[in-house]
Amino acid sequence: MVAALIIRGTTEDGVEVLICQRKPDQPMSLKWEFPGGKIEPGESSEDALARELNEELGITATIGRRVARVRHKYRNGGAIDLQFFLVNDFDGELENRIFNDMRWAPLGTLPGYDFLAADLGLIRDLSEGKLL
């Protein structure tokens, strides 16, 4: 699995990152997450993320460096291997194609959102200014 930390420059609140909320009819409904998805056979992680961002948000993203890799086991026994990449630049207008909600959130506010369990360690590090 791959996910994007789409960031935008410095505002009065500092750096902001795009976060997305799952729809009520999805597994782990209404949890917040970063856009991204599954790697298809034959795809690199970066190619998969660029494809997912185009499908989910209608943008052509420039995929930057990998900032984190998380392996998480859910209580139900499922496990995921998740890679997070930085996206500083993209072409096109952000379009919400699959999410319940999406918004720009200052890094310091991230712990206040109900994120997927697999993202929580990353959320802590981002909010403390450790990754970017």
Side-chain angles (χ1 to χ4, degrees):
M1 302 280 290
V2 287
L5 300 176
I6 303 175
I7 62 169
R8 69 178 182 187
T10 49
T11 64
E12 57 278 356
D13 294 325
V15 175
E16 293 179 318
V17 63
L18 185 73
I19 60 173
C20 302
Q21 187 182 45
R22 290 177 170 226
K23 288 188 172 174
D25 60 352
Q26 286 182 292
M28 294 178 264
S29 65
L30 301 179
K31 292 274 190 186
W32 289 89
E33 64 182 350
F34 298 101
K38 292 185 173 79
I39 302 170
E40 299 292 341
E43 276 184 322
S44 70
S45 299
E46 291 86 351
D47 289 344
L49 186 54
R51 176 186 49 75
E52 288 283 350
L53 295 177
N54 185 270
E55 290 172 6
E56 295 179 356
L57 302 172
I59 60 172
T60 303
T62 303
I63 309 301
R65 68 182 169 90
R66 186 172 77 185
V67 293
R69 184 171 196 157
V70 175
R71 287 184 174 88
H72 182 79
K73 271 197 164 120
Y74 282 97
R75 280 192 216 112
N76 66 8
I80 62 166
D81 182 359
L82 188 54
Q83 300 177 70
F84 294 91
F85 289 87
L86 206 51
V87 174
N88 289 308
D89 193 36
F90 60 86
D91 290 322
E93 290 293 315
L94 286 170
E95 180 186 335
N96 183 352
R97 294 182 173 176
I98 67 162
F99 297 105
N100 188 60
D101 191 10
M102 56 186 230
R103 63 182 65 160
W104 290 102
L107 296 181
T109 68
L110 293 176
Y113 290 90
D114 186 14
F115 270 89
L116 292 171
D119 294 343
L120 294 179
L122 178 86
I123 295 300
R124 185 184 59 246
D125 289 348
L126 279 173
S127 70
E128 293 172 2
K130 290 182 181 170
L131 291 178
L132 301 180

